[in-house]
Amino acid sequence: MKGLGYGKDYQYAHDTADKVTDMQCLPDSLRDRIYYRPTNEGVEKRIRERLEEIKRIKQSSSPSPNREP
């Protein structure tokens, strides 16, 4: 399979320091949809904080729409 190019551009998040990659896994029609809104209570508070952290990481690593990549 590897010889056929399967997984060639796959980014394994666990190999990065932040455990986040910029690889898009969903189709464009589903991109940026929000399926889960954690509360500020209990474990959901930590989940919300991590989701916000991931969003910040992705925003800081993606090129600005006004800049060349």
Side-chain angles (χ1 to χ4, degrees):
M1 297 295 283
K2 198 179 219 178
L4 296 173
Y6 284 93
K8 177 179 157 241
D9 295 322
Y10 182 79
Q11 299 172 15
Y12 188 63
H14 297 277
D15 287 343
T16 68
D18 294 320
K19 309 298 184 229
V20 177
T21 68
D22 61 357
M23 185 173 70
Q24 180 178 331
C25 298
L26 294 173
D28 287 337
S29 62
L30 299 177
R31 188 178 183 156
D32 298 325
R33 284 192 184 186
I34 298 173
Y35 293 95
Y36 174 60
R37 289 182 172 87
T39 68
N40 262 336
E41 300 186 26
V43 174
E44 288 196 24
K45 180 178 180 182
R46 177 62 190 125
I47 294 170
R48 182 184 50 76
E49 290 168 351
R50 177 61 177 156
L51 290 173
E52 289 170 356
E53 179 183 18
I54 290 169
K55 189 175 183 178
R56 281 191 305 273
I57 291 167
K58 287 184 174 242
Q59 286 174 342
S60 69
S61 68
S62 64
S64 169
N66 299 328
R67 283 190 343 211
E68 292 286 321

